[in-house]
Amino acid sequence: MAEHKNIDELLAKYLAEESPEEDFSEIQNHLNELPDGNTVFEHSKIIWDASTAFQQKKSCDINAAWQKVKKQMSCPSQLEDHTPIVHLNEASTVIRPLSEKRVIPFLKVIGIAASVIVLIGALLFIYRTPSSQSIALKESTTQEKVLNYTLPDGTKVSLNRGSKISYPTVFEGQTREITLQGEAFFDVAHDAQHPFIIHAQGADIKVLGTSFNVNAYSKQVKVWVKTGKVQVKKSSSVIQLLPGEQAEVQGDDVVRSANIDANQAAYFSQSFNFENTELSSVVKTLSQVYGVKVTLANEAMNHCKLTVNFEKESLENILAVIATTFDINVQKQGQNFVLEGKGCQ
């Protein structure tokens, strides 16, 4: 320890040009004993030269400052070329005396060097530390049609009509969090270290990587899971959902749903599965998915039951199949449709 302290002091005095010439050989001997003596001296010189640009004296802990300089010297990095004052041959390190005399008090120069280190550290901290205010939020809103988005983490979102999501331009921190108003289907990019959290009408839906639908047009939030596992939380009520399961938020409670609508994600997939479904429910689903009004002309048609699957068919084709099945007529009124018929016994 004493020898290291001695070389530190000798180097500092030499660079401040307060060291007599007879000390050159002692410095050279110390550096020759170090495996990276040449690098130590070069880094010391670079740091020292930089410090001379700062002439304002600041109060500092001199011992702590010099320890920081030593730490910098022990961490070689890629440096620009400088006119060398240290020349190596295979035998030893040779130090040339400085040609010009610059009389700078030793303690003052150490203080200047400490100021340089503190300033550089502060600049690096400001540059590298992300500011929460610098992360802008983006909003995506749709009224007329279903829109598809890809979030910064690769999560895919299908946003239903009359819905809005808010999310950061870059996900940072331990979680990936967004806000939803309305309805959306999520195919979340898997990231076990950063859970994906959706805030919707006071409820929190948390996942790692899965696909599911969230209906949050009202405070009665509904969550249906297609793949993976989803946690739904409201206040102190928490439920874990597996594929094919659904939960509803009722007040401050989260409850499992016994009746699950097989077509609740049809707004973006346009895939329908009607299994012995009453016609009144069929036209309601079609109206929601296609954004038009489809109605029945009389109540006698409400209880007609339909069993059929549709895969990415146009609304006109679906209504044509229904008309043929129940022997009814389809009347188009502007953008809306009315089904007319005798009904079912």
Side-chain angles (χ1 to χ4, degrees), residues 180 182 198-206 212-224 230-241 245-259 264:
L180 169 68
I198 302 167
H199 303 291
Q201 301 288 358
D204 297 324
I205 300 97
K206 179 179 179 181
F212 58 99
N213 191 74
V214 179
N215 184 312
Y217 285 109
S218 67
K219 291 188 178 297
Q220 190 174 354
V221 178
K222 297 180 180 179
V223 180
W224 170 75
V230 174
Q231 173 185 287
V232 183
K233 180 180 180 181
K234 178 68 182 291
S235 297
S236 59
S237 181
V238 182
I239 282 182
Q240 299 281 351
L241 297 176
E245 295 182 337
Q246 178 176 294
E248 294 183 15
V249 175
Q250 300 176 357
D252 287 337
D253 295 323
V254 183
V255 297
R256 295 184 188 275
S257 301
N259 299 319
Q264 57 189 307

Side-chain angles (χ1 to χ4, degrees), residues 298-311:
N298 62 72
E299 293 184 359
M301 302 173 63
N302 287 352
H303 303 295
C304 295
K305 294 185 177 180
L306 179 68
T307 299
V308 67
N309 293 329
F310 295 108
E311 186 73 27

Side-chain angles (χ1 to χ4, degrees), residues 144-215:
E144 302 299 327
K145 61 181 181 178
V146 177
L147 295 180
N148 297 312
Y149 299 92
T150 300
L151 300 185
D153 65 332
T155 292
K156 299 183 184 303
V157 181
S158 295
L159 195 63
N160 202 358
R161 297 174 180 83
S163 303
K164 179 174 73 174
I165 55 172
S166 301
Y167 56 94
T169 54
V170 177
F171 286 116
E172 294 191 343
Q174 299 301 311
T175 59
R176 299 168 285 166
E177 301 188 34
I178 73 164
T179 300
L180 169 68
Q181 297 177 19
E183 184 173 26
F185 185 88
F186 296 88
D187 189 355
V188 177
H190 184 81
D191 185 348
Q193 303 302 318
H194 302 88
F196 190 92
I197 300 175
I198 302 167
H199 303 291
Q201 301 288 358
D204 297 324
I205 300 97
K206 179 179 179 181
V207 300
L208 296 179
T210 183
S211 58
F212 58 99
N213 191 74
V214 179
N215 184 312

